Amino acid sequence: MAALFGLVAATLSGTWSLQARAGEPIKPKVLVITMFGEEAKPWLAGKKLDTKVKVPGLSGEYPEVSCDSEGLCLMTTAMGFSNAASSVAALVFGKQFDLGQTYFLIGGIAGVDPKDGTLGSALWARYVVDGGLRHDIDPRQIPQDWPDGMVALGAKRPGEKAGWGAGTEVYALSPALAEKAFGLTKSVELADGDDAAQYRSRYEEEAARGKPSVKLCDTVSLDTYWHGSKIGDAVERWTAQVSDGKANYCTTQMEDNATLTALKRGADAGLLDFSRIAVLRTASNFDREAPGQTAIDSLGAKSGGFMPSVTNAYRVGSALTDTIIADWDVWSAGVPR
C-alpha cells in the first residue's frame, strides 16, 4: 500500500513534467520572478517545486523554471537589465508555458530610502521608474545653480521635460492588485535581527529607526548600483519628474523596468495580462549614509539587513501567492474586489 501511495504521489507531482514532455504548455497560476540565487532559495526550500523545466534562452546560471503541482512556478533571471529582459522574454515567447491567466510576482531585495522604510521592510510598488534613461553631467561640471547633473533626454537642464524617450521610463502597475497585495500581507510577521536593529539606530528618520513593516510605495530601476544621499536626492527628484509627481520612490534595484518591458511585450502580443503583475522589494540596505558616516563606508557596511530581506520577500510574497492559488476560483477571473 505504501509503495502504491508513493507511486500515485510521484505521478501527481510529476504531472506538469509529463505535460512539458508531451508538448502541452504548463499553465502557472502564479509565476515568481527572482533575480539571483539567494532570493530564490527561500522559495525552493519552502515550496515543493519539484518539476524542473529547462527553457532555452534562460541564464546559464539559472537554466530551469521550478514548478509545483498546485500552480506555482519560480524563475531566476540573473542580475541586471540585460539578464532580466533576456530571461523573461525567453520564457514569455517560448512554447513551454501558457501565461494567459498567470499572475506574476517580481520579488527581490533592494536599497531603501530611510525616509520611507528600514532594513527588512517589504514594499509593494505602484509605479516602477527607470532611473537610467537620461543624460548625465558629472557634478564637477554642472552650473552652480543646478541641483544635480540628471537631465531628461533631449532637455537642456534639470527639471525640463524630455524631448524624446524610449517608452519604458515609467510603468504604472495595477492599483487594484497592489492594494490587494498590501491588504493581504500588511499583518505578516516580518523577520528582523539584532544587527539590523543596531545598524538602523544610526539614522535619524522615524521610518528608518522603526521595525520593518509592509508598505505601499514605488521603486526605481538602475543597472548602476548607486549609493549616497546626494545621488539619492537626485533620484528622488528624477522619480517625481518623470512620473509627473505620481511616484514616491522608496526602493532602488537593478532589474524591474527591464523585466516589465519583456512582460509588456508579451502582453502586447496577447500572451499575458499586464494587470496581473505585482512588484515586491524588501530592504536589504539603506541607499545612503547615516549621520557621521561617509557614502563609501555606508556602501560597504554590514547592516544586518540581508537575511531579513530575503526571508521577508518570501514571507510576504508567499502570503499573496498562497491566497491566489487557494482561491483560484475567484482570482482566475481577475483581482477580487
Side-chain angles (χ1 to χ4, degrees):
M1 181 65 71
L4 177 61
F5 179 80
L7 177 62
V8 171
T11 301
L12 290 173
S13 66
T15 298
W16 281 9
S17 180
L18 292 172
Q19 284 181 326
R21 287 200 298 270
E24 298 177 23
I26 295 171
K27 298 181 179 181
K29 295 169 183 172
V30 183
L31 173 64
V32 177
I33 301 174
T34 58
M35 280 51 71
F36 67 102
E38 292 299 317
E39 292 172 342
K41 188 180 292 185
W43 293 93
L44 294 170
K47 304 294 183 182
K48 295 181 179 180
L49 302 172
D50 296 328
T51 298
K52 308 295 182 181
V53 183
K54 286 191 175 182
V55 177
L58 294 191
S59 161
E61 190 175 4
Y62 308 109
E64 298 177 332
V65 178
S66 302
C67 301
D68 69 9
S69 60
E70 302 300 319
L72 178 69
C73 288
L74 170 79
M75 71 173 295
T76 302
T77 64
M79 293 190 292
F81 265 46
S82 295
N83 282 320
S86 299
S87 293
V88 174
L91 178 68
V92 168
F93 289 97
K95 303 298 184 183
Q96 292 156 287
F97 290 85
D98 178 346
L99 305 172
Q101 285 190 294
T102 300
Y103 286 88
F104 299 85
L105 171 62
I106 302 170
I109 66 173
V112 68
D113 182 343
K115 295 191 297 294
D116 294 303
T118 194
L119 303 172
S121 289
L123 305 140
W124 293 103
R126 304 162 304 170
Y127 292 91
V128 183
V129 174
D130 193 320
L133 285 171
R134 63 174 200 250
H135 300 307
D136 231 10
I137 306 298
D138 190 293
R140 292 168 293 187
Q141 293 182 292
I142 63 174
Q144 289 186 348
D145 62 340
W146 283 21
D148 52 68
M150 294 185 184
V151 181
L153 298 174
K156 296 181 178 180
R157 60 180 297 115
E160 191 175 293
K161 288 287 187 180
W164 53 277
T168 60
E169 286 83 353
V170 181
Y171 286 108
L173 300 177
S174 164
L177 181 54
E179 292 283 353
K180 192 71 174 180
F182 171 69
L184 288 169
T185 62
K186 62 184 178 182
S187 298
V188 169
E189 182 179 354
L190 299 182
D192 199 0
D194 292 341
D195 290 342
Q198 183 177 2
Y199 191 85
R200 65 178 176 248
S201 68
R202 300 180 178 205
Y203 287 78
E204 297 176 342
E205 294 86 353
E206 182 178 351
R209 295 175 66 88
K211 289 184 176 295
S213 61
V214 181
K215 294 184 178 181
L216 277 166
C217 54
D218 305 303
T219 192
V220 173
S221 311
L222 192 63
D223 248 345
T224 301
Y225 193 130
W226 61 269
H227 198 82
S229 56
K230 290 190 181 298
I231 193 170
D233 290 343
V235 170
E236 185 172 4
R237 179 191 65 76
W238 176 258
T239 303
Q241 177 184 337
V242 298
S243 67
D244 294 323
K246 297 175 182 176
N248 168 38
Y249 123 76
C250 63
T251 62
T252 173
Q253 36 67 35
M254 299 171 66
E255 296 90 7
D256 291 353
N257 280 76
T259 299
L260 290 170
T261 296
L263 291 174
K264 183 63 165 59
R265 299 283 177 88
D268 291 345
L271 299 175
L272 60 95
D273 184 347
F274 197 80
S275 70
R276 296 188 177 208
I277 302 170
V279 173
L280 174 68
R281 286 288 178 168
T282 53
S284 64
N285 60 279
F286 292 108
D287 66 5
R288 64 197 70 194
E289 71 279 4
Q293 187 182 37
T294 67
I296 191 63
D297 286 343
S298 174
L299 176 63
K302 302 296 184 183
S303 68
F306 182 79
M307 287 309 300
S309 69
V310 294
T311 300
N312 291 338
Y314 172 69
R315 287 187 184 181
V316 175
S318 63
L320 175 65
T321 63
D322 288 353
T323 298
I324 293 173
I325 291 171
D327 299 332
W328 184 244
D329 57 334
V330 176
W331 282 82
S332 60
V335 179
R337 295 183 181 274

